[in-house]
Amino acid sequence: MTPHHRSVRRIELRPTPEAALFPLILRFAITLPRVEKLIVLIYARYSTDDQNPSSITDQVAYCKRFLAAWGITDVEFIIRYDEAISGELSSRPGINAGTLLIRDGKCHVVIAEDSSRLFRNPSACLEFFETAVDADVRVICINDRIDTAEDDWFDRLYDAQRHHRQSNEFTRHRILRRHEALWLNNKAIGLLRCGYRRVPSTPDTDDKPEAGTFVDQIDPSWMPIVGEAFKRIASGEVPQLIADFLTRSGLPKTSNSKSNEWTVGTVKALIKNPIYRGVEERNKTIGRKQRRVGRRKRERNAPESVRLREMPHLRMVDDWLWYAANDAIRGRDHGSHHCGRDNSQYGVPRDSRGPLSKRLFCLCGAPMDRSAPGGYRCSLAGSRKRKCWVKATAKTALVHRAVARAISDRVDQFDAGLDDLLKSVHSLCNGSRSRRDEEAALESQLAALKADENRLRQLATSDAEPLDIVRDWVVDLQRKLDRVAAELDRLKNEQASLRIPTASEVRDRIQELRQVLAAMDRHSGPLLQQLVSKIVAFPCQQVGGNKIVLRARIQ
């Protein structure tokens, strides 16, 4: 390996009878600098959490027995490994540490059970071998019969990686076949969703442990919390307040979550998931493999490729409530969301957004932000395109305190007439005919749609070959039927469970919202969006002086 014979020391191989038990035959002695001790890097890895962690220990012991079988005993070992990480990933903590040792010249030999332990990514594996060979580090993969001291190591590596890649594809097909069987038999598959628990088909007993496939069930302790979240969203409450409610309630998030804190995104994902109305989705997103790094990037699947299965035992909310909550979520989304330079907020500093974002405006009509040091200022005050003559600024703490106090005073005024307001609500709910008229209109619409459906089904099942457009009409009509039936169910359910909160309950809720408002942090912004449409700041001359200060008008 090293051309200058005088500067190296040769460790001759002294095979023992046990050497015949290993597939690889070492034909060349190991050479290393004369003054150094032989340092061997052993790398081990296993792929998934389902495998036994003792696999790392077994691989390391296997490599050590191999060296001992060839008489290599006076060795300093460095162990690096990766647990439950796919070999298709080109970047992993253990393999990265091993590569760094090679580049720094801190080892002489790298040994692994086979090349698939190093990588199941042919290009990354070849780069690793080339890095080692260029650094005069010998690489040995026992079961693949690869030794970089041999001239044909490249061909052996190519064949071995090709075999491992094919084996990986066959394993993936077996996994997909297993998942398909679970899906068709209504067994648990994928991540455990919020509000459910996963139980084995065969429970644990004194004689034998739990076995078989798993099924999901509703966790009764979390069902009221999930239902309350849907009701609040459907009533128009902002998602951030729902996120705070779920965090305080302690509702567990999806099983792969790294944090227990709920956010607007996780609340929207919960509301949009049809499993809560008894329908489970599969293949909504697909993983597209990134060849260079080995990772899979999640992408939205085509709508026609998304699979559904009826799971009535997992229903937590009625159809009308699920549709109402999702309509509220869609109503809050203004158009499509773009990333990067296509986003309207691109280049806007994050600290310019706060609880008064999109609520506090200058007299000129432009929004005020916190671009000034420690305070709010008109966003066009320093603009080259359009300058605003209002140069006054207001300290952030003073603005937040004044706005919170003003809105709290308005809430107190509402509290004074709360009893009379609740009496009016009671009388309107008991004497109004609008709900009965709406229910009659929906029943009439449902009857008309069913008549249309019967005519289309007769046309589609006639002797003549039905046109594709007729089939599309039937599918579209079925969607309308489901939606009208859900809306009718909502009206009947509301009528049966109509309950107007008491004055004490409303006051408790107001007190809770007042505390959120007083904090004036990121949680206060969604509440302000409901209470305030616009706050206009205008300059005024201070009484008894020439100082210009800002005043606010709440609309």
Side-chain angles (χ1 to χ4, degrees):
M1 303 237 342
T2 304
H4 304 292
H5 178 73
R6 293 181 180 179
S7 63
V8 300
R9 178 164 61 91
R10 297 172 63 85
I11 299 179
E12 299 297 337
L13 305 177
R14 298 183 298 276
T16 66
E18 191 180 5
L21 302 178
F22 294 92
L24 178 62
I25 299 176
L26 296 181
R27 295 184 176 85
F28 298 93
I30 297 176
T31 59
L32 65 156
R34 183 179 297 277
V35 296
E36 294 187 15
K37 185 177 182 180
L38 178 62
I39 303 176
V40 175
L41 169 63
I42 298 179
Y43 178 80
R45 181 189 63 82
Y46 66 91
S47 299
T48 65
D49 291 326
D50 296 333
Q51 294 175 279
N52 195 331
S54 65
S55 175
I56 297 293
T57 305
D58 296 339
Q59 293 175 51
V60 171
Y62 182 74
C63 295
K64 289 182 176 180
R65 288 201 309 272
F66 173 80
L67 294 176
W70 286 93
I72 305 172
T73 54
D74 188 16
V75 180
E76 178 182 342
F77 289 107
I78 300 177
I79 312 299
R80 294 293 181 267
Y81 58 88
D82 288 306
E83 296 180 294
I85 304 181
S86 171
E88 292 185 349
L89 301 181
S90 59
S91 177
R92 308 186 300 273
I95 200 67
N96 293 344
T99 304
L100 190 61
L101 290 172
I102 292 172
R103 289 175 176 172
D104 293 344
K106 295 183 179 180
C107 64
H108 305 115
V109 177
V110 177
I111 183 170
E113 185 180 38
D114 57 55
S115 63
S116 70
R117 300 297 181 179
L118 297 170
F119 291 95
R120 285 186 182 269
N121 185 330
S123 59
C125 192
L126 178 60
E127 182 180 357
F128 179 86
F129 270 72
E130 290 174 341
T131 301
V133 172
D134 291 343
D136 285 337
V137 175
R138 187 169 174 175
V139 183
I140 297 173
C141 297
I142 303 171
N143 293 347
D144 286 340
R145 300 181 177 87
I146 298 175
D147 183 357
T148 54
E150 303 273 2
D151 293 335
D152 63 345
W153 68 266
F154 182 89
D155 296 330
R156 290 178 181 267
L157 176 62
Y158 177 83
D159 292 338
Q161 281 291 300
R162 179 172 175 272
H163 167 75
H164 293 310
R165 185 178 60 181
Q166 289 178 341
S167 176
N168 222 27
E169 291 296 328
F170 296 149
T171 302
R172 184 173 291 112
H173 288 309
R174 288 195 295 269
I175 293 173
L176 292 176
R177 182 253 301 160
R178 175 61 173 167
H179 287 176
E180 183 68 14
L182 293 174
W183 176 264
L184 295 177
N185 290 286
N186 290 339
K187 301 299 183 181
I189 183 173
L191 298 174
L192 180 63
R193 301 298 176 182
C194 316
Y196 298 95
R197 59 188 179 188
R198 187 158 289 178
V199 297
S201 301
T202 304
D204 190 7
T205 62
D206 296 336
D207 299 334
K208 52 185 178 181
E210 62 184 32
T213 54
F214 289 82
V215 294
D216 288 343
Q217 295 178 355
I218 294 177
D219 191 335
S221 60
W222 297 119
M223 188 172 178
I225 303 298
V226 174
E228 180 68 17
F230 273 88
K231 291 176 182 177
R232 289 193 179 188
I233 286 289
S235 65
E237 196 166 333
V238 292
Q240 182 59 59
L241 296 180
I242 307 301
D244 298 338
F245 162 71
L246 294 179
T247 301
R248 293 194 303 271
S249 302
L251 177 65
K253 295 168 65 177
T254 310
S255 55
N256 66 336
S257 299
K258 297 180 180 179
S259 171
N260 294 327
E261 183 178 357
W262 285 81
T263 63
V264 172
T266 52
V267 169
K268 289 183 177 180
L270 181 142
I271 298 299
K272 294 179 180 180
N273 197 328
I275 195 173
Y276 295 101
R277 59 180 287 258
V279 178
E280 190 171 3
E281 283 183 332
R282 187 187 179 201
N283 297 341
K284 187 175 181 179
T285 61
I286 57 175
R288 189 176 301 279
K289 185 177 179 179
Q290 305 296 300
R291 297 289 177 179
R292 185 64 188 88
V293 297
R295 296 185 180 276
R296 290 187 174 270
K297 182 180 179 181
R298 304 303 301 181
E299 296 180 356
R300 285 186 176 274
N301 202 358
E304 60 272 11
S305 300
V306 178
R307 302 180 63 183
L308 303 174
R309 68 177 179 181
E310 296 290 335
M311 303 288 282
H313 64 285
L314 299 181
R315 176 187 288 273
M316 285 196 186
V317 298
D318 295 328
D319 285 345
W320 66 266
L321 181 56
W322 189 88
Y323 282 120
N326 277 267
D327 287 343
I329 289 292
R330 283 192 294 270
R332 298 184 60 84
D333 293 336
H334 304 289
S336 59
H337 301 280
H338 302 285
C339 299
R341 296 181 181 272
D342 295 332
N343 193 294
S344 60
Q345 294 294 325
Y346 180 79
V348 179
R350 285 188 175 272
D351 59 359
S352 67
R353 308 170 195 170
L356 296 180
S357 295
K358 300 182 181 180
R359 287 295 175 272
L360 182 60
F361 294 87
C362 178
L363 185 64
C364 70
M368 298 190 70
D369 57 33
R370 290 185 288 180
S371 56
Y376 284 93
R377 183 180 66 172
C378 177
S379 58
L380 296 181
S383 174
R384 295 182 180 179
K385 297 181 180 180
R386 176 187 171 192
K387 295 183 178 180
C388 178
W389 63 272
V390 180
K391 301 295 193 296
T393 61
K395 291 185 177 180
T396 302
L398 293 177
V399 172
H400 288 178
R401 187 160 55 247
V403 170
R405 183 170 59 249
I407 297 178
S408 295
D409 292 341
R410 287 195 177 187
V411 172
D412 291 339
Q413 296 174 4
F414 168 79
D415 191 6
L418 179 61
D419 295 327
D420 295 335
L421 178 62
L422 290 177
K423 290 179 181 178
S424 300
V425 172
H426 273 285
S427 62
L428 288 173
C429 291
N430 293 330
S432 177
R433 294 174 52 88
S434 60
R435 185 181 298 275
R436 292 193 295 271
D437 294 341
E438 186 178 358
E439 185 175 341
L442 285 174
E443 289 178 346
S444 176
Q445 185 180 356
L446 185 63
L449 287 174
K450 286 184 177 179
D452 292 340
E453 183 191 26
N454 291 333
R455 287 194 293 270
L456 283 177
R457 289 192 181 279
Q458 289 176 2
L459 181 61
T461 56
S462 60
D463 294 337
E465 183 67 23
L467 299 175
D468 291 339
I469 190 172
V470 176
R471 295 193 185 95
D472 294 340
W473 285 346
V474 171
V475 173
D476 184 59
L477 192 59
Q478 184 62 46
R479 291 198 190 100
K480 293 180 180 179
L481 273 170
D482 293 341
R483 194 60 185 270
V484 173
E487 189 67 16
L488 186 60
D489 187 27
R490 176 186 68 83
L491 286 176
K492 293 180 179 179
N493 187 282
E494 286 180 352
Q495 186 65 29
S497 60
L498 183 62
R499 178 185 173 275
I500 300 174
T502 63
S504 61
E505 291 175 342
V506 175
R507 288 191 175 93
D508 291 341
R509 181 62 176 158
I510 290 175
Q511 184 62 29
E512 179 184 343
L513 296 179
R514 186 183 282 114
Q515 294 175 359
V516 175
L517 184 63
M520 288 301 287
D521 54 13
R522 65 186 182 91
H523 302 295
S524 306
L527 178 59
L528 285 171
Q529 294 178 16
Q530 291 184 318
L531 299 177
V532 177
S533 61
K534 191 176 184 180
I535 303 175
V536 180
F538 55 92
C540 296
Q541 185 175 354
Q542 198 172 37
V543 178
N546 295 324
K547 187 177 181 180
I548 302 298
V549 296
L550 288 176
R551 295 285 184 261
R553 183 183 297 113
I554 299 177
Q555 300 177 0

